[in-house]
Amino acid sequence: MSKVYAEFPEDFLWGGATAANQLEGGFDAEGKGLSTADVITAGTHTVSRRITPVLEAGANYPSHEAVDFYHRYKEDIALFAEMGFKVFRLSIAWSRIFPNGDDAEPNEAGLQFYDRVFAELRKHNIEPLVTISHYETPFHLAEAYNGWGDRRTVDFYVRYCEVIFNRYKDTVKYWLTFNEINILTMPFGTFLAGAIMPQGNAELGTSAAGDNEQLRYQALHHQFIASAKAVKLGHAVNPGFRIGCMIAYMCSYPLTCNPEDVLLAQQKDNLSNFLCSDVQVRGAYPGFAKRYFEENNIVLQLQEGDEQILKDGRVDFYTFSYYSSTCVSADPDREAIGGNLSMGLKNPYLKASAWEWQIDPQGLRWSLNHIYNRYGIPMMVVENGLGAVDNVEADGSIKDDYRIEYLREHIKAMGEALADGVELIGYTPWGCIDLVSAGTGEMKKRYGFIYVDKDNEGNGTLARARKDSFYWYKKVIASGGAQLD
Ligand code: BG6
């Protein structure tokens, strides 16, 4: 088929995406409390990050300084504006607003920080897209309540939403309730997203006590209730709010046309992807979820009224992260490969990044169509990108043509999806400025258009520099996606 992709709409939201704990630093500035992200050490591609309930002297906690957006937001936003951003996805650090999570009153200094950030974005006509909870929960809620394992965390979250919705009701229109909410369908999400305490020190994604699937799904149910309540509340505060879900879309192909593989791929798609978005978009648990719970002895504690709460809190739009695809097979001997948050099988037709994430632009077109066919509501790709090692040349330039190539092909795929009729309204590639990797805690795994001088050990001046992709993306935005070379 010829490569004729559609023009992007005039009002298409071009921009970039970040998250507070990977970007801001200032982890204890002006009354901010410790978050779950603040107790996770740095790791590498081969060494897991560690969760240390008590901070260890001498250990490297990458969120503590991150890339210091806390003090450099004006410079960074000016660079985003120079690229022509229409939208900037950021998250609010919950423990900046409620240091312990269960405080009676919010921390005014924390609220003022985001007042300043949103004012700076407005100055440059950049629309904020705010993730309310992106892999961080006030650590006190983890310690005192076992995080999302406890229903009371729903009330703390809703109170937090009430405060930020009212405070920013005239400055923020687009909100996402939880980043990659479906990560709680996997053990990796237990502490990262669920703030469920490990037994003693543990590695990220594992627990000394083993996985507790019952508790994970109960925590997920609490997040669904919290998300639905937030949607209803947000619409009451400002009917103009647009509130979305955010799914780590795990695109999984059957490895062969063996019906066993095809069925497995569908089951994975259902459980890993659609379970969460069905609840958030359609307002009810799908039948396959109920079957899975029954067959795996998972008994959710539902309160009276929960079903109505889910129905009343359906999201306005669907957003997702897309980095790579993997395969699924009934044959246990096939070769495995990594990917965003989950492992899968190697696809012989695809190449992979240095972190073993397979590169598959067509998978993005496929996913957009596949998801849109199910829900038919506006969509945004709010994370996409290539984590790679960048080198600074002697003249200071950073020639990241591999990143340009990756993004170009994915933008073409989005254009194809638009031509297919998908209602795609925005694109915020991940880590538009280099930031800390969530999976490994490294700095060396870079995604940005803007280079930050900092290494894995935390050394560097934190100075910003424009990569080749910076100038390229600026042209892409200026041409409305028409000029991709
Ligand atoms: C997504 C997360 O899973 O992938 C981000 O929402 C994360 O927080 C991004 O940074 C890329 O993953 P990584 O592990 O390369 O940082």
Side-chain angles (χ1 to χ4, degrees):
M1 209 175 119
S2 64
K3 280 260 170 199
V4 182
Y5 45 87
E7 280 176 20
F8 287 80
E10 190 106 326
D11 56 355
F12 191 77
L13 292 167
W14 297 97
T18 58
N21 74 87
Q22 295 167 257
L23 177 77
E24 289 177 357
F27 84 108
D28 59 357
E30 297 186 277
K32 178 179 172 295
L34 210 60
S35 81
T36 47
D38 295 329
V39 302
I40 308 178
T41 64
T44 66
H45 183 29
T46 48
V47 177
S48 294
R49 305 185 70 181
R50 290 185 302 117
I51 301 161
T52 65
V54 177
L55 292 183
E56 294 173 1
N60 178 5
Y61 296 95
S63 71
H64 291 196
E65 181 188 55
V67 295
D68 198 29
F69 178 82
Y70 192 72
H71 297 106
R72 294 162 195 255
Y73 65 93
K74 285 192 179 172
E75 181 191 350
D76 293 342
I77 291 171
L79 286 165
F80 301 150
E82 191 182 324
M83 276 187 277
F85 277 23
K86 315 280 184 230
V87 64
F88 174 53
R89 176 176 175 227
L90 71 166
S91 68
I92 292 181
W94 182 353
S95 63
R96 223 180 260 301
I97 311 301
F98 284 97
N100 297 296
D102 58 359
D103 318 71
E105 293 305 322
N107 171 31
E108 177 58 26
L111 289 164
Q112 283 175 10
F113 170 65
Y114 295 104
D115 282 338
R116 294 194 293 275
V117 170
F118 295 141
E120 201 61 23
L121 289 168
R122 280 280 158 242
K123 195 169 111 191
H124 293 283
N125 288 320
I126 299 175
E127 190 76 45
L129 164 60
V130 174
T131 318
I132 297 168
S133 175
H134 189 131
Y135 291 167
E136 57 183 310
T137 305
F139 187 57
H140 172 72
L141 294 185
E143 280 195 306
Y145 301 87
N146 212 17
W148 285 98
D150 189 310
R151 176 102 185 189
R152 285 172 294 179
T153 298
V154 174
D155 298 332
F156 301 134
Y157 174 91
V158 174
R159 165 91 175 111
Y160 159 54
C161 289
E162 188 191 351
V163 167
I164 58 173
F165 284 164
N166 282 297
R167 179 80 170 213
Y168 308 122
K169 66 173 184 288
D170 299 322
T171 19
V172 178
K173 174 180 174 187
Y174 295 103
W175 302 88
L176 304 176
T177 54
F178 287 91
N179 180 62
E180 297 185 332
I181 195 166
N182 54 327
I183 195 190
L184 265 176
T185 64
M186 290 173 293
F188 194 74
T190 306
F191 183 74
L192 191 68
I196 294 167
M197 286 296 280
Q199 306 297 308
N201 286 4
E203 291 180 350
L204 190 63
T206 61
S207 155
D211 178 38
N212 184 339
E213 201 179 18
Q214 162 74 37
L215 184 58
R216 257 196 302 113
Y217 276 100
Q218 186 63 46
L220 181 60
H221 179 70
H222 293 151
Q223 292 195 347
F224 289 148
I225 294 292
S227 173
K229 285 187 163 192
V231 171
K232 192 173 176 188
L233 174 69
H235 287 153
V237 170
N238 183 347
F241 278 180
R242 288 292 163 266
I243 309 175
C245 62
M246 197 304 200
I247 304 291
Y249 190 76
M250 288 168 243
C251 176
S252 310
Y253 303 130
L255 186 65
T256 71
C257 53
N258 179 343
E260 296 274 350
D261 289 0
V262 176
L263 190 62
L264 262 187
Q266 185 181 55
Q267 286 172 333
K268 180 165 182 206
D269 195 25
N270 279 347
L271 285 171
S272 307
N273 299 316
F274 284 143
L275 188 161
C276 291
S277 47
D278 279 4
V279 174
Q280 291 188 289
V281 179
R282 293 174 162 170
Y285 280 93
F288 59 77
K290 292 178 187 154
R291 176 176 182 168
Y292 182 80
F293 294 156
E294 264 167 38
E295 289 180 353
N296 291 277
N297 301 319
I298 295 167
V299 184
L300 293 186
Q301 303 299 315
L302 264 65
Q303 284 187 5
E304 213 188 309
D306 275 7
E307 287 177 2
Q308 193 59 42
I309 291 172
L310 295 179
K311 256 195 207 101
D312 292 345
R314 282 172 284 183
V315 293
D316 302 311
F317 64 111
Y318 177 105
T319 81
F320 67 115
S321 58
Y322 177 87
Y323 292 90
S324 58
S325 69
T326 55
C327 292
V328 170
S329 167
D331 175 354
D333 295 328
R334 300 297 188 135
E335 193 182 346
I337 192 149
N340 184 27
L341 311 173
S342 74
M343 300 285 291
L345 299 180
K346 204 166 172 169
N347 184 330
Y349 299 99
L350 300 176
K351 295 206 173 72
S353 76
W355 273 265
E356 292 179 66
W357 294 18
Q358 296 184 122
I359 300 171
D360 180 16
Q362 290 195 353
L364 178 56
R365 177 181 177 184
W366 184 89
S367 303
L368 280 162
N369 272 282
H370 182 59
I371 301 161
Y372 188 69
N373 288 347
R374 189 175 185 99
Y375 301 125
I377 60 173
M379 299 180 71
M380 272 196 217
V381 177
V382 294
E383 286 188 31
N384 172 241
L386 180 70
V389 175
D390 293 329
N391 295 308
V392 184
E393 308 289 327
D395 65 358
S397 63
I398 297 130
K399 304 200 181 319
D400 57 340
D401 46 317
Y402 35 87
R403 181 167 297 109
I404 294 174
E405 172 70 14
Y406 176 101
L407 295 169
R408 177 192 293 127
E409 294 310 311
H410 285 79
I411 292 174
K412 281 185 190 168
M414 291 191 303
E416 296 288 355
L418 275 165
D420 294 333
V422 173
E423 203 180 335
L424 180 64
I425 61 169
Y427 178 54
T428 57
W430 176 248
C432 45
I433 178 167
D434 290 347
L435 39 61
V436 175
S437 157
T440 68
E442 292 171 290
M443 271 307 300
K444 150 173 142 179
K445 189 180 188 192
R446 297 173 184 276
Y447 288 88
F449 303 111
I450 301 163
Y451 185 87
V452 176
D453 178 27
K454 182 169 179 178
D455 67 16
N456 274 2
E457 286 68 48
N459 307 308
T461 63
L462 291 166
R464 278 50 173 159
R466 296 166 183 80
K467 303 183 192 176
D468 282 1
S469 58
F470 180 101
Y471 302 105
W472 172 82
Y473 194 45
K474 183 178 173 173
K475 280 195 286 181
V476 171
I477 297 177
S479 67
Q483 198 182 330
L484 295 177
D485 296 330

